[in-house]
Amino acid sequence: GQQLNQSPQSMFIQEGEDVSMNCTSSSIFNTWLWYKQEPGEGPVLLIALYKAGELTSNGRLTAQFGITRKDSFLNISASIPSDVGIYFCAGQNINSGNTPLVFGKGTRLSVIA
Amino acid sequence: DTGVSQDPRHKITKRGQNVTFRCDPISEHNRLYWYRQTLGQGPEFLTYFQNEAQLEKSRLLSDRFSAERPKGSFSTLEIQRTEQGDSAMYLCASSLAGGAQGTQYFGPGTRLTVL
């Protein structure tokens, strides 16, 4: 089945630093999504990408849909303590009728003040 | 504007008991999904509905699991004869069918602990 490889698994960074994480797939997706999850809560949508090559920002967050359609990255600029959480990438193939999301295992972000 | 809601938020049960969880999607969304998440993993798809029709079930959904969405609004997920391996966070998501509107929004989850 489809698998997403998300890296790094975890990151410890100083407040104010920039962060980059990425996700690669063994197969093509036509939608990439990035979610953030905090302890005891459900994933919260951060950014949705629908076209290969698309670059989208949401405040300090920027994500790109790779041109091969098999990868995506998420950048966070000038990190702050409330950025702490687990970031998940998810892929979806709407056109093929495969609507369930396939998730990576997450990147756990810790921000040191 | 209410998001996806789930009830209960936490459930502790003994092995062998039956449990039922409820999900209320975003009101205009016609698709509803159930996922399961274990510690250190991303959510894994269980099943989804479009309106009241259950369109897909994953291999993770054993015979002890059943999901319904009788009126195309809220959904229930029942686990019969629970096992310790069923301990997980059960997440519900909803979306509109099709294209960019198909983006899935998640509820807060129900954490199940089977003793």
Side-chain angles (χ1 to χ4, degrees):
Chain A
Q2 293 174 321
Q3 291 187 343
L4 293 187
N5 294 310
Q6 191 170 347
S7 65
Q9 270 189 311
S10 62
M11 305 180 74
F12 290 83
I13 61 167
Q14 293 281 345
E15 182 177 359
E17 287 184 356
D18 297 344
V19 172
S20 184
M21 58 192 78
N22 67 78
C23 210
T24 58
S25 169
S26 57
S27 55
I28 289 171
F29 290 113
N30 59 19
T31 300
W32 282 95
L33 303 163
W34 285 91
Y35 291 87
K36 178 188 177 187
Q37 189 175 29
E38 297 186 23
E41 300 295 329
V44 174
L45 181 68
L46 299 174
I47 293 181
L49 302 159
Y50 302 106
K51 290 184 187 177
E54 181 181 358
L55 184 71
T56 297
S57 292
N58 177 8
R60 293 178 297 105
L61 277 61
T62 302
Q64 183 157 31
F65 191 143
I67 56 172
T68 66
R69 296 168 63 194
K70 290 186 176 183
D71 63 310
S72 178
F73 73 74
L74 175 71
N75 286 344
I76 306 173
S77 63
S79 58
I80 58 178
S82 63
D83 291 333
V84 166
I86 304 177
Y87 292 79
F88 289 99
C89 61
Q92 187 179 35
N93 251 331
I94 297 174
N95 290 347
S96 70
N98 184 11
T99 56
L101 295 174
V102 178
F103 280 84
K105 291 189 175 183
T107 294
R108 182 181 295 274
L109 179 63
S110 300
V111 180
I112 304 166
Chain B
D1 176 28
T2 57
V4 178
S5 62
Q6 293 187 244
D7 183 70
R9 294 291 309 275
H10 304 274
K11 179 70 177 178
I12 300 174
T13 191
K14 291 183 179 178
R15 191 175 51 187
Q17 298 293 305
N18 299 345
V19 293
T20 300
F21 309 142
R22 176 179 169 126
C23 171
D24 287 89
I26 293 171
S27 58
E28 64 269 25
H29 285 183
N30 54 2
R31 282 193 175 160
L32 186 150
Y33 309 78
W34 286 99
Y35 291 82
R36 182 173 73 183
Q37 185 179 26
T38 53
L39 204 61
Q41 303 294 319
E44 294 176 290
F45 169 71
L46 292 177
T47 187
Y48 91 93
F49 294 83
Q50 181 157 319
N51 301 313
E52 63 274 9
Q54 189 172 15
L55 296 188
E56 188 172 341
K57 294 192 274 190
S58 86
R59 291 173 298 163
L60 291 177
L61 209 68
S62 77
D63 291 344
R64 298 183 297 104
F65 288 67
S66 62
E68 293 182 344
R69 195 183 183 198
K71 297 182 180 177
S73 56
F74 73 91
S75 175
T76 58
L77 177 68
E78 181 183 16
I79 309 174
Q80 295 182 326
R81 303 181 305 281
T82 52
E83 302 173 355
Q84 287 184 325
D86 297 331
S87 295
M89 174 81 94
Y90 290 84
L91 294 162
C92 176
S94 71
S95 75
L96 284 170
Q101 294 175 318
T103 302
Q104 295 179 29
Y105 296 88
F106 282 82
T110 295
R111 179 164 295 285
L112 172 66
T113 302
V114 182
L115 302 176

